Amino acid sequence: LITIPITLSLTLIFLYVFGYTLNIMTIGAIAAAIGLIIDDAIIVVEQIHRTHEEHPTESSFTLVNKAIKYLFPAMVGSSLSTIVIFLPFVLMSGVAGSYFKVMTDTMIITLVSSFFVVWVILPVVYILLSKEKHSVKKDQKEIKRRDWVDYFIRRPLISGLFSTMLIVASIYILPKLASGFLPEMDEGSLVLDYVSPPGSSLEATNEMLLVIDKILHTIPEIKNFSRRTGTQLGFFITEPNDGDYLIQLNDKRNKTTAEIADEIRKKVEAVLPSLKIEFGQVIGDMLGDLMESAQPIEIKIFGENHEKLKSIADTVASIITEVKGTVDVFNGLVIAGPEIKFVPDAAKLSQYNLTPDNFYFQMQTKIEGTIVGNVLEKNQYVNIRMLEYKNAPTLNTLKNSSIFLNNGKLKPMYEFAGVNVSKGVAEIERENLKPMVAVKARLDNRDLGSTLKDIKQKISTRLSLPSGYEIVYGGAYAQQQKAFGELLIILISAVLLVFIIILFLFRNLTTALGIITTAVLGVSGSLIALYITGTPLNVGSYTGIIMIVGIIGENSIFTYLQYAEARKSNMSKDESLIYSISTRLRPKLMTALGAITALAPLALGMGTGAQMHQPLAIAIIGGMIIALPLLLIVLPTLMRIIETE
């Protein structure tokens, strides 16, 4: 246990040197790595203790040197096998890459610190804590022979059936497994985005928001809230009828964040049906604003005819509304406010020697003012506008306003132009120079993967796109698919790197293949744990799956080292296998229980921010549970088959 605070202290020093701060990702990574820190310490201490049992007449100082010298080659290889799995994460791009780069870097720093502490500081601490009267034992204790090992290695069919069951379970579970993008957590806060009807002024929007303020005050789970109008975090133009609320919830409450959001949604829609609202959480909303889309569901429709695009968008929006687990559906059509059109009478203007430009200048001055200069204020130039009215003029005011003639006289504006008021037109976005409408929605108590699967099925069944039109699925789903593709490459790269390290360490191709096969089979344990607990496959749990390959590879190295040493003492192959498994049984059980215990708080979501790393912890625990039969039964059976006499 002493190694944990020493390793953490060294890790914090390295984090400070490299410019990292303590946050949810770095603290979570350190918490997840504690299990691996304990593994290394347990292996070294157990080896020293077992050396005491085998050589009871020697002192602690001598035995520590023997144990460290014996374990060092395998420990270097095992440490590298858990460190190299994080190196391919540099291939990950986008938000997920930036998000988890901090975590993987922290893991590498922690594991390097652990290696240094275990091999340099732990032996010294052990010697200092070992009293001289306890350093010499009277009786030699021999390793207890585990006959069940002989039973299993002589019946390879059992290992084959077990491995086949794991493969079949993985094939069955994978399509049924819920999937998402980034791990989600209950942040204890809500973001309520709102859009009032097109053309609404700040004053009109504020009148609606005062009603929402009253609603929020009636909900006891809300601690406080703030709102802003006409601005958002994302790098895009925000209209004066857009904005958001930041709602802070009470720490002690009986309702989840999703349940509170549903309650607010129902109350607001009942009294303000014209106000469009949608909900998110702070971190997700910030990431969404900074990504291509703030919503997890985004269906992009491309085509040339604007009216046809609007028709298809309405159809797609209605289909999404019918899919279970979708809320806050938006058809993507942003309608501008009503337009006021002035149609000048050219004949009238020329009769009074007025040009259209002169008329335009005077009307612009009435409506929005005309820039006539600037002034230096706080080291920047601020425009000076010439305005005819102090407040925004109404339509009647504009109709009854006057136009200056060249001789200084005034004439009513309506003598020179007609005034028409028309409905606002829909905004049409472009992507890759193509007109596009993006239909968006959020999730409600359902995973991203299965929801998009249903949406795709319904759209393909009920919607027939005209020639020249196409649908592209964007939002968090597109980010998820990109991240999963990169993570698959990372997983393959990690497996290859671990394989290369094992091959370099033992210089035996069949041995390396047997060990890496066992490690890959451990992935099925992670998938089973995710399926049983209802945890989605996302970037976090995928990272845990990748880690389990390195963890099982690390444990396999020690088993084979014990086997190779036994073979040097002229034991038969079967005797060497039984001896190696019997010898490594105690440290394997200790390391597995230690890692599972260390990860349990994260897996249970205990503590602020723990839910962010919960999928990773569950995936590792599932892999560790399956790793025990793999390491104790399947691996020795494989070694018996592939090892020559």
Side-chain angles (χ1 to χ4, degrees), residues 261-400:
D262 289 338
E263 181 181 353
I264 298 172
R265 183 184 292 108
K266 290 177 182 178
K267 290 184 176 181
V268 172
E269 290 178 348
V271 295
L272 294 171
S274 62
L275 189 71
K276 177 184 172 294
I277 61 172
E278 57 185 38
F279 291 86
Q281 295 195 74
V282 176
I283 294 177
D285 193 72
M286 290 176 65
L287 290 174
D289 282 348
L290 296 173
M291 288 193 299
E292 297 176 0
S293 172
Q295 284 75 18
I297 301 172
E298 183 184 51
I299 292 91
K300 299 177 181 179
I301 308 163
F302 293 89
E304 293 298 330
N305 187 286
H306 292 180
E307 293 300 321
K308 190 64 177 176
L309 279 176
K310 290 191 284 185
S311 174
I312 297 174
D314 284 332
T315 304
V316 171
S318 63
I319 292 173
I320 295 176
T321 305
E322 298 173 5
V323 176
K324 181 184 176 182
T326 59
V327 292
D328 303 334
V329 180
F330 173 50
N331 63 6
L333 302 176
V334 179
I335 308 297
E339 285 185 320
I340 301 176
K341 291 184 179 180
F342 297 94
V343 184
D345 187 336
K348 274 283 186 182
L349 290 173
S350 61
Q351 182 179 345
Y352 289 94
N353 293 323
L354 293 174
T355 63
D357 287 343
N358 183 271
F359 177 79
Y360 169 78
F361 177 82
Q362 293 194 48
M363 294 307 300
Q364 183 186 41
T365 304
K366 296 176 188 293
I367 297 171
E368 61 183 23
T370 302
I371 298 174
V372 294
N374 52 60
V375 62
L376 185 63
E377 183 177 323
K378 295 182 180 179
N379 298 323
Q380 64 178 357
Y381 284 101
V382 179
N383 292 330
I384 300 173
R385 288 184 177 270
M386 181 176 65
L387 294 165
E388 183 170 337
Y389 302 101
K390 182 178 180 180
N391 298 317
T394 64
L395 181 59
N396 288 331
T397 302
L398 291 173
K399 286 181 178 180
N400 297 320

Side-chain angles (χ1 to χ4, degrees), residues 38 228 249 360 443 455 485 545 606 643:
I38 294 174
R228 56 185 178 178
L249 305 177
Y360 169 78
L443 297 171
I455 289 174
I545 290 172
M606 297 169 58
E643 285 291 316

Side-chain angles (χ1 to χ4, degrees), residues 207-219 222 225 227 245 267-268 271-272:
E207 290 294 325
M208 294 184 179
L209 300 181
L210 290 175
V211 178
I212 297 182
D213 292 350
K214 293 179 181 179
I215 292 173
L216 298 181
H217 281 300
T218 63
I219 299 176
I222 294 178
F225 62 88
R227 62 176 163 94
Y245 277 84
K267 290 184 176 181
V268 172
V271 295
L272 294 171

Side-chain angles (χ1 to χ4, degrees), residues 146 148 580-590 632:
R146 309 290 175 175
W148 53 265
S580 62
I581 296 300
S582 301
T583 304
R584 302 309 306 170
L585 179 61
R586 182 171 61 186
K588 275 184 172 55
L589 292 175
M590 291 173 65
L632 299 176

Side-chain angles (χ1 to χ4, degrees), residues 194-196 200-207 209-210 226-232 238-245:
Y194 59 82
V195 180
S196 60
S200 298
S201 63
L202 285 172
E203 293 79 6
T205 302
N206 185 64
E207 290 294 325
L209 300 181
L210 290 175
S226 61
R227 62 176 163 94
R228 56 185 178 178
T229 306
T231 181
Q232 285 179 313
T238 306
E239 301 292 339
N241 60 328
D242 285 8
D244 56 34
Y245 277 84

